Amino acid sequence: MRKKVTGRICSTVMVCSLLAAGNGTSYANNSDAPTNKSVKNVILFITDGMSLSDVNLARWYQGGQALAMDKYFSGLVRTYSTDSLTTDSAAGATAYATGHKVKSETVSILPDRITMPFVSAVKPEDMNKPLPTLMDAARMAGKSTGTVFTCELTDATPATFLSHAYTRDNAQSIAEQMVYSGVDVLLGGGSGYLVPGKEDINRKDGEDLTKILKSNGYEYVTDKAGLMNSKTNKIWGLFNPEALDADFDLNPQKQPSLAEMTNVAIEKLSQNENGFILMVEASQIDWYGHDNDPVGIMSETLAFDKAFKAAVDFAEKDGNTAVLSVSDHATGGLNMTNYDSTKDLISVLKKAKHTSYYIEGSINESNFKKVLADNYGLSDLTK
């Protein structure tokens, strides 16, 4: 797995933006939105690990121009798990998926440890019991359900909406639960988690879960062409054995962008006259925050912004859709604190063509000067 860090997160302050488009009108804050208008569809974005500083960096990267999300900022969200004042993605996403605070590292189950304030006690006999999710409620209401992400399917955030586990590391169980979850559309990375093989991510029980998907009526696609040519509304698309490549790095002929996956998911789910719930995660803002890679942070924050705009455009035309975007925490502690001009900053950032993940398999002691010059425009380096 490319995610290097799975432990505690460094900050709990989160960005929250809201679009209420129940009557085709967008609102910059909650107080302007109509309170008596129900909606048929909900699109929930989770920007994993995104902070206000990440948004600020992405904005300056494009010359200070407003992002699509800027119009809809409405406040901040505070989260913490039941046993820590910081939250990991599993506990943070579980709160959004179920409405319950849970223990760090657990996936949509009631906590067996509560040490933080303002959390209701759990009866001993209910500890570690599975919690119903938004997706369960949607299916019971006759709505279609979907998840879109750029990580592998078993990673914490998508897992919380479609599975239950005592530890987020139980990828074998999580993958199988997701296959049987009944979700209508699932798009992202992680095809290696469904099939047997020699890699660590492959299934160790010998079962090929892609056969289960197909036997249950799903179309299963593994490249962008397959997704774009799909004719069914019941589809799984996994476009890499592990996580998808960053937006700055991906081959657009092979892997769809977050915005493209979001558009396809909306188009398919909206065929249900009862409505739908879609969760879209911009997964790797968090990962590049962990790795202190500002280029990766910009790549994935801008990718989210494009996907968010796609959802807003649909909601404004549809008139019966609510779009919400929230972060689960902030990662990496990015700060912009120098006194340089915009030109000084942009001149450096614009030279970067790829993220650190793109070069990590090829850079070495003998070629690093060329790799840094070709991919980051960093020349004239001192010893």
Side-chain angles (χ1 to χ4, degrees):
M1 294 175 63
R2 285 191 299 186
K3 188 166 184 179
K4 309 294 195 306
V5 180
T6 58
R8 295 283 191 258
I9 309 304
C10 63
S11 175
T12 59
V13 179
M14 300 179 300
V15 180
C16 174
S17 55
L18 169 69
L19 168 75
N23 61 356
T25 304
S26 59
Y27 298 91
N29 57 66
N30 294 347
S31 61
D32 294 335
T35 57
N36 59 348
K37 172 69 176 180
S38 60
V39 295
K40 187 168 68 172
N41 313 310
V42 175
I43 305 172
L44 171 64
F45 283 89
I46 297 179
T47 49
D48 201 308
M50 190 177 80
S51 70
L52 288 167
S53 291
D54 298 342
V55 176
N56 196 25
L57 180 66
R59 191 183 295 114
W60 284 119
Y61 176 75
Q62 54 183 32
Q65 238 177 356
L67 301 169
M69 70 180 98
D70 285 346
K71 183 179 178 182
Y72 304 104
F73 275 114
S74 63
L76 297 171
V77 176
R78 179 183 68 171
T79 65
Y80 52 89
S81 60
T82 64
D83 61 337
S84 174
L85 56 84
T86 60
T87 183
D88 80 311
S89 292
T94 294
Y96 292 132
T98 71
H100 287 262
K101 287 190 184 300
V102 300
K103 191 174 73 171
S104 296
E105 309 286 324
T106 62
V107 177
S108 294
I109 62 173
L110 285 167
D112 59 12
R113 175 179 168 84
I114 298 174
T115 60
M116 295 298 293
F118 312 116
V119 181
S120 300
V122 175
K123 296 177 180 178
E125 62 268 26
D126 290 334
M127 291 178 179
N128 301 318
K129 282 188 176 179
L131 286 161
T133 71
L134 283 174
M135 299 304 180
D136 298 324
R139 282 192 296 274
M140 293 177 67
K143 295 181 182 294
S144 293
T145 59
T147 56
V148 171
F149 43 88
T150 60
C151 56
E152 58 271 9
L153 77 159
T154 58
D155 203 34
T157 299
T160 61
F161 285 83
L162 300 173
S163 69
H164 311 274
Y166 186 74
T167 171
R168 58 183 283 180
D169 294 330
N170 195 352
Q172 300 276 302
S173 172
I174 288 170
E176 187 152 19
Q177 290 181 63
M178 294 176 85
V179 165
Y180 286 100
S181 68
V183 66
D184 296 289
V185 176
L186 184 144
L187 305 174
S191 59
Y193 289 83
L194 300 187
V195 295
K198 297 180 180 179
E199 301 296 328
D200 289 343
I201 63 173
N202 295 144
R203 296 202 63 76
K204 305 311 174 190
D205 57 9
E207 188 174 16
D208 185 345
L209 294 178
T210 66
K211 294 180 180 179
I212 302 298
L213 288 171
K214 294 170 185 176
S215 68
N216 286 337
Y218 287 94
E219 183 178 5
Y220 179 65
V221 297
T222 56
D223 58 27
K224 182 176 177 178
L227 177 66
M228 295 307 181
N229 294 324
S230 168
K231 304 299 182 185
T232 179
N233 295 328
K234 194 174 180 181
I235 182 172
W236 272 51
L238 298 176
F239 309 103
N240 213 33
E242 295 190 64
L244 301 187
D245 295 326
D247 203 60
F248 280 10
D249 301 337
L250 63 80
N251 181 339
Q253 304 305 314
K254 295 182 178 180
Q255 290 185 21
S257 68
L258 185 63
E260 289 170 331
M261 291 191 293
T262 299
N263 270 324
V264 170
I266 290 172
E267 191 277 327
K268 293 181 179 300
L269 295 171
S270 62
Q271 302 306 309
N272 186 343
E273 61 182 15
N274 293 320
F276 67 87
I277 287 184
L278 170 64
M279 190 285 291
V280 181
E281 184 198 22
S283 314
Q284 298 182 42
I285 301 171
D286 172 88
W287 298 8
Y288 288 108
H290 278 301
D291 288 347
N292 304 128
D293 180 352
V295 179
I297 288 172
M298 291 184 304
S299 166
E300 301 312 279
T301 301
L302 292 171
F304 154 69
D305 198 54
K306 294 172 186 173
F308 180 76
K309 184 180 185 303
V312 169
D313 288 345
F314 168 80
E316 290 183 331
K317 293 176 183 177
D318 176 68
N320 291 291
T321 300
V323 179
L324 301 96
S325 179
V326 290
S327 291
D328 52 357
H329 50 69
T331 306
L334 174 70
N335 278 292
M336 297 173 62
T337 58
N338 62 39
Y339 293 97
D340 294 338
S341 69
T342 307
K343 183 178 179 180
D344 294 330
L345 177 68
I346 301 303
S347 65
V348 176
L349 295 180
K350 286 291 186 180
K351 292 177 183 177
K353 300 175 182 177
H354 294 291
T355 73
S356 58
Y357 289 2
Y358 183 85
I359 67 169
E360 68 179 355
S362 60
I363 192 170
N364 57 55
E365 193 170 339
S366 64
N367 70 3
F368 73 89
K369 286 186 178 180
K370 186 177 188 312
V371 171
L372 292 176
D374 291 346
N375 291 280
Y376 291 91
L378 297 175
S379 56
D380 300 324
L381 296 174
T382 65
K383 185 176 181 179

